[in-house]
Amino acid sequence: MPIQINLSKTLNELNITKNKLATEGKFRVATLHELENGKAKSITFEMLTNILDTANRISASEGKRQITINDIIDYIPDNQIQNDTPNN
């Protein structure tokens, strides 16, 4: 699948849990679990913005860098995925 979820890596970098992000952002932690585990069939721009805004508030309060959309979700075209696979 060309969509890669980077949420866990970003939360680790911020040293926070999905529970803290969800509590701070006032959304369901189950939404983050579904997204992270590839169970979410879609994500709204509103939810993505809420995740980013919340992560950036936390990051700024810790004096850390700005979180971008690629820190949450990324697109890798199928041809890049196939080209990155080692040949046997």
Side-chain angles (χ1 to χ4, degrees), residues 43-84:
I43 182 169
T44 65
F45 288 125
E46 181 180 8
M47 176 54 79
L48 189 55
T49 300
N50 193 1
I51 291 169
L52 285 164
D53 287 345
T54 304
N56 276 306
R57 274 195 310 274
I58 294 168
S59 185
S61 73
E62 299 288 323
K64 296 183 179 177
R65 70 176 179 86
Q66 182 176 3
I67 305 302
T68 68
I69 194 166
N70 294 92
D71 293 311
I72 305 300
I73 191 169
D74 207 0
Y75 171 75
I76 302 171
D78 283 336
N79 63 347
Q80 280 187 355
I81 293 171
Q82 292 169 356
N83 290 338
D84 290 342

Side-chain angles (χ1 to χ4, degrees), residues 1-60:
M1 176 182 241
I3 301 297
Q4 178 178 326
I5 305 301
N6 302 320
L7 183 61
S8 288
K9 180 179 159 188
T10 301
L11 294 178
N12 285 338
E13 180 184 328
L14 293 174
N15 199 29
I16 62 170
T17 63
K18 287 185 283 294
N19 209 21
K20 178 173 173 74
L21 184 67
T23 300
E24 295 278 331
K26 298 181 173 81
F27 48 83
R28 297 176 330 120
V29 72
T31 301
L32 298 177
H33 283 292
E34 291 167 359
L35 181 62
E36 185 179 50
N37 296 325
K39 305 273 186 196
K41 294 182 190 235
S42 65
I43 182 169
T44 65
F45 288 125
E46 181 180 8
M47 176 54 79
L48 189 55
T49 300
N50 193 1
I51 291 169
L52 285 164
D53 287 345
T54 304
N56 276 306
R57 274 195 310 274
I58 294 168
S59 185

